[in-house]
Amino acid sequence: MSFQEKSNLVMTVITALVYGVYFAKVMPPALSEGPSMDLVMPYLFAAVVFLVVGGVIAHILVAMAAPNEADVSDERDTLIEMRADARSGYVMSAAAVLSLGLALMDQHLFWIVHMILGGLVAAELVKGVLRAIDYRLGG
């Protein structure tokens, strides 16, 4: 397994965990008590901190496991990255259109912001999964 593949798997798992916890903490109160942007800021800040710190620590550990591979990237890695970016763009585009729809329906800012954030997260997860599939299938 190459450094790029390990890095992709680690970041996909970290992203899923961090934002899974974020949405699990933020959505139930919004659905039961009504949306509130005041509730969001501490959780969003914590999510970003955990994502960055977790990513840095994970990349250091992956690089320490195989230091000679840490800087190596080839054409295959670039091609896999480009394919996954192109495909995951459809997810982000759908979320953007849905966010515009929410804005046009005059929905609360909370729902618009979280549709955009959800689209970004979903697109990153789709990208990570597509990369993992391409690496495993020899893309």
Side-chain angles (χ1 to χ4, degrees), residues 1-11 62 65-66 69:
M1 193 181 280
S2 71
F3 174 80
Q4 303 297 335
E5 187 176 1
K6 290 175 194 170
S7 170
N8 172 61
L9 288 173
V10 164
M11 285 311 296
V62 169
E69 293 180 9

Side-chain angles (χ1 to χ4, degrees), residues 33-127:
E33 302 162 15
S36 169
M37 290 302 289
D38 296 331
L39 178 74
V40 170
M41 293 311 289
Y43 289 118
L44 190 57
F45 181 75
V48 171
V49 168
F50 282 118
L51 187 68
V52 170
V53 171
V56 168
I57 290 170
H59 277 95
I60 289 171
L61 293 174
V62 169
M64 284 173 45
N68 56 341
E69 293 180 9
D71 266 345
V72 179
S73 179
D74 59 9
E75 263 183 59
R76 178 176 171 252
D77 295 322
T78 304
L79 181 61
I80 288 172
E81 180 75 24
M82 286 182 356
R83 273 194 219 147
D85 277 337
R87 294 174 191 159
S88 67
Y90 293 116
V91 175
M92 189 60 231
S93 297
V97 169
L98 291 172
S99 299
L100 287 172
L102 289 173
L104 290 172
M105 292 188 313
D106 203 28
Q107 294 297 311
H108 193 277
L109 179 63
F110 177 91
W111 300 117
I112 298 168
V113 166
H114 282 86
M115 177 57 71
I116 294 168
L117 179 61
L120 287 168
V121 172
E124 283 301 310
L125 293 175
V126 166
K127 186 189 324 180

Side-chain angles (χ1 to χ4, degrees), residues 20-38:
V21 169
Y22 170 80
F23 282 112
K25 289 287 189 183
V26 170
M27 285 302 159
L31 293 170
S32 64
E33 302 162 15
S36 169
M37 290 302 289
D38 296 331

